[in-house]
Amino acid sequence: MAEERRGRRPTRIILVRHGESQGNVDSNTYCCIADSKIRLTDAGIMQAEACGEEIRALIEKDGISDWRVHFYVSPHQRALSTLKEIGRAFSKQHILGVREEPRIREQDFGNFQQQEQMKLVKGIRSRFGRFFYRFPEGESAADVFDRVTSFLESLWRDIDMNRLNRDVGNKSADLNLVIVSHGVTMRVFLMRWFKWTTEQFELLNNPHNCEVRVMQLAKGGEYSLLVHHTREELVQWGLSPAMIADQEWRKNAVRGQWNDQWPWTGTSFFDHFGEKKDEDSSEESSANHTPVNGNGPCHETTTAACENRRTPLDLIDTDFS
């Protein structure tokens, strides 16, 4: 069963930001038009059509004729219009389906936006931190993270239960997922998938209109940005050397392996603390409930003494602003 499911995994998961919108050209648009109803400009329509040709070309370059594409799209008008233009590049025989997905919509910045107020709150956001700052009447990127996480759980259920390939006679057909959404949503999606930290999220640059991010399945069974993209592109997107090194590892790793050199999920997170003495090595200290090096049991000490003790976690620098 595990091998059968592995065979159905998408060859690519392609993230696409919508084309140029009226709001991208004139921020005053948000003052009188709901964010979800903002449309593409003429330039945005052309960008989307060219993006469709680009996506088809990158799928066909492998020389596999039996390929299919399934689309997920944000319900915002500019994303729907982008998908309509992208779809012009594909014949119906290659399209498995389209699903409108509200969980990959744009970050909510509030209702009708006043330009001067938005300048103020965006200034506050830069000081507070882009990931955690919640816009008045809107969302933070952390809120987007939560709903993208929910979407990913549904996505993997669809893949595991073969819902996306249900109408294909050849169940091993080359499957490509295209997700048309928004800049923040794309960055959060990658953050969630690759387990990037909130600090690393702050490094990322917003993709341009109709720019793509291609997560491609490597030979070992892991997804990596470096199968299709170059290291130079990843640097332009804001990935740190450590993040790029992890993408390189994923490109060559066998599925199920653990990257011991990834400090945000491995024990190397604690390397700078040094070795800690075994608290149970001294029977006398245990019997007397005496703290060892200020870090041992504290059952009979005063509350003030316990509060004044410093643990290794107290040394962590949590100032990510």
Side-chain angles (χ1 to χ4, degrees), residues 54 58 88 99 101 107 113 148 173 219 286-287 292 300:
E54 176 187 353
L58 73 88
R88 297 183 189 278
R99 183 174 300 174
E101 179 51 74
Q107 178 183 358
Q113 303 169 18
V148 165
K219 293 181 179 179
S286 177
V292 179
E300 296 181 0

Side-chain angles (χ1 to χ4, degrees), residues 144-158:
V144 179
F145 182 97
D146 292 340
R147 54 179 164 85
V148 165
T149 296
S150 173
F151 165 67
L152 276 172
E153 292 170 353
S154 299
L155 178 64
W156 278 115
R157 281 197 300 272
D158 286 347

Side-chain angles (χ1 to χ4, degrees), residues 184-202:
V184 173
T185 310
M186 288 174 60
R187 284 179 283 155
V188 167
F189 185 100
L190 293 171
M191 172 192 181
R192 177 64 180 82
W193 188 286
F194 294 121
K195 300 179 178 62
W196 294 338
T197 66
T198 56
E199 185 177 14
Q200 290 167 331
F201 172 84
E202 302 281 356

